[in-house]
Amino acid sequence: MHSHRSTQKSNVAIVGGESLLGREVRDLLESSGVPATVQLVAAGDTSDTAILSRSEDEPILIQSLQSADLASARAVILAGSPDSSKKAWELIRAASPAPAVIDLTGGLEEEPSARLRAPMVELPGHQATAAIHEVAHPAAIAVSMFLTELRAASPVARSVIEIFEPVSERGQAGIEELQKQTVNLLSFKPLVKDIFDAQVSFNMLSGYGSDAPRSLEDIELRIDRHLASLLALTHAAPMPSLRLIQAPVFHGYSISAWVEFENRPEMEAIAQTLTSSRIIDVRTAEHERPTNVGVAGQGGITVGGIAPDRNHPRAAWFWIVADNFHLTAENALEVAREFLK
């Protein structure tokens, strides 16, 4: 893929092309075979075009938001920040015809024309006509995929889900803060607390400090809303009780799930049912249990640690992991395919 325009291929603009999530979307587009040229657009307030890196001896260029021709794209993928998504929307909302907008940041979630999307969960034949396609939070997608596929084994009565959030969900700034905190702790220096306003290094957080730009409770509520909407589409299971915890890890979700079934489940049958589904990998007792590090760069979700609850005959425990960026990018790509045929 190249950043120049082509008359033979559709154009996709990625706002936030320099972000971690933007790079994941770009890489997935390049390897997917989707017929599109890619225009990379900076999420920041830069006014210049800069060389990011080189690919196959050709420079990869990124344009400023002010100079980019977003209106001419078939699809605009918003992968920067909520603020940059709002700025991009203001630039293209009046275009005719307007490009399809695929928001991965949550910045346009409250717009009346936004519709929640998660193609990896949606039923076959699902159609969504909207100006803005809001890709669901990756943790909500992961949990919804798991509960939807679990339904084939045995109806679910109720569940409790604990989600361990990686710092990369706060972008490059979150990664750098964890890294700096770790170095400073080992050097007995003051901690940087711009993103979490708390010690996240070597620590588990049920909430951020009061001066954090965004609260963990708000993120938990967003996951809760998205999960409720996705489960309503599939009628797979009752809405679970959910808790979000900030973990001191760089990438990847880890999710602990306690599930009570309507009938006493057979662990082997559950594993077989999950294996035959869209879940990318199921680790049974003879396999190494999955980790968030082990699934880096992989699609879908991986399930392992399947064990009966010793104190409840109709309940079982599960351990679920997923690459947060890859899962989001996969769903964004599936939405984009609808406009690039």
Side-chain angles (χ1 to χ4, degrees), residues 213-266:
R214 192 176 184 188
S215 73
L216 196 63
E217 290 81 5
D218 285 345
I219 301 166
E220 182 180 274
L221 285 173
R222 182 170 182 251
I223 296 172
D224 201 75
R225 290 196 308 270
H226 288 189
L227 181 57
S229 297
L230 295 179
L231 290 178
L233 284 176
T234 61
H235 304 288
M239 183 64 188
S241 299
L242 184 148
R243 188 73 186 270
L244 182 66
I245 300 164
Q246 181 63 62
V249 300
F250 288 108
H251 297 288
Y253 274 106
S254 300
I255 301 170
S256 176
W258 178 88
V259 180
E260 179 187 351
F261 298 91
E262 292 183 4
N263 305 300
R264 185 166 184 166
E266 294 291 337

Side-chain angles (χ1 to χ4, degrees), residues 112-180:
S113 56
R115 297 293 181 269
L116 191 69
R117 298 297 310 275
M120 295 178 73
V121 178
E122 294 164 2
L123 297 174
H126 178 82
Q127 294 182 340
T129 303
I132 301 170
H133 299 259
E134 184 75 28
V135 173
H137 192 285
I141 295 174
V143 173
S144 182
M145 286 178 65
F146 167 70
L147 291 176
T148 299
E149 300 300 340
L150 197 62
R151 172 184 57 181
S154 180
V156 174
R158 58 177 176 153
S159 58
V160 178
I161 308 291
E162 288 185 310
I163 301 170
F164 297 90
E165 176 112 323
V167 298
S168 59
E169 276 297 296
R170 306 282 75 76
Q172 186 65 40
I175 290 177
E176 291 177 355
E177 184 153 302
L178 173 56
Q179 183 181 30
K180 290 177 181 178

Side-chain angles (χ1 to χ4, degrees), residues 12-19 21-23 25 29 39 41-43 65 70 73 75-93 99-109 111 114 131-135 222 328-329 332 335-336:
V12 177
I14 303 176
V15 177
E18 79 281 20
S19 70
L21 181 54
R23 293 174 192 173
V25 172
L29 274 168
Q39 176 188 12
V41 181
L65 190 57
L70 297 179
V76 177
I77 300 176
L78 306 177
S81 67
D83 286 342
S84 68
S85 296
K86 292 174 183 177
K87 292 177 182 178
W89 176 238
E90 288 301 319
L91 292 173
I92 61 179
R93 65 188 308 170
V101 175
I102 305 169
D103 182 24
L104 314 184
T105 69
L108 305 183
E109 189 171 354
E111 289 287 334
I132 301 170
H133 299 259
E134 184 75 28
V135 173
R222 182 170 182 251
T328 300
V335 176

Side-chain angles (χ1 to χ4, degrees), residues 45-90:
D45 294 327
T46 179
S47 58
D48 300 322
T49 298
I51 296 177
L52 287 182
S53 61
R54 291 187 175 272
S55 176
E56 297 180 355
D57 297 325
E58 292 190 11
I60 298 176
L61 304 178
I62 187 163
Q63 295 179 285
S64 68
L65 190 57
Q66 291 74 21
S67 64
D69 183 16
L70 297 179
S72 67
R74 290 287 299 278
V76 177
I77 300 176
L78 306 177
S81 67
D83 286 342
S84 68
S85 296
K86 292 174 183 177
K87 292 177 182 178
W89 176 238
E90 288 301 319

Side-chain angles (χ1 to χ4, degrees), residues 285-302:
E286 62 269 21
H287 298 100
E288 182 180 354
R289 295 193 178 190
T291 67
N292 60 302
V293 173
V295 298
Q298 295 184 17
I301 64 174
T302 298

